[in-house]
Amino acid sequence: KEYRRQRQMCIETDINHAYEMVYSRFSSWHDFAMSYVIGRALWGGKSASNSGMMYMAEDLLKSEKSPWTKIEW
């Protein structure tokens, strides 16, 4: 039980750290999404399903069900 509590605290710390890093480097969900898509394309090359990643990013930016449209940057 103690291990689970400590693990939960570590996860929360990691999430908070990631949030601060992302929020300080990008000005919008769009900027965040485009950075991810470009980074993935550079990492994966032409065979990385880049058009699929772009579609997913566009869907996250536009869909009424997306948390990115429900949570303000």
Side-chain angles (χ1 to χ4, degrees):
K1 197 170 187 177
E2 179 62 23
Y3 171 78
R4 187 181 303 165
R5 187 182 72 73
Q6 288 178 350
R7 182 73 178 129
Q8 179 71 26
M9 288 175 57
C10 287
I11 291 169
E12 288 176 16
T13 300
D14 290 346
I15 290 170
N16 288 335
H17 180 70
Y19 170 82
E20 292 298 328
M21 282 180 30
V22 168
Y23 194 74
S24 69
R25 288 173 173 79
F26 300 100
S27 62
S28 66
W29 285 116
H30 181 268
D31 288 349
F32 177 72
M34 293 305 101
S35 179
Y36 177 82
V37 169
I38 291 167
R40 172 140 175 151
L42 291 172
W43 173 78
K46 292 181 180 180
S47 63
S49 184
N50 297 323
S51 60
M53 285 294 117
M54 190 66 187
Y55 173 78
M56 283 190 262
E58 288 174 353
D59 190 48
L60 282 165
L61 291 167
K62 295 176 183 175
S63 172
E64 292 179 10
K65 295 180 181 180
S66 169
W68 291 6
T69 61
K70 294 179 180 186
I71 300 171
E72 276 191 50
W73 185 259

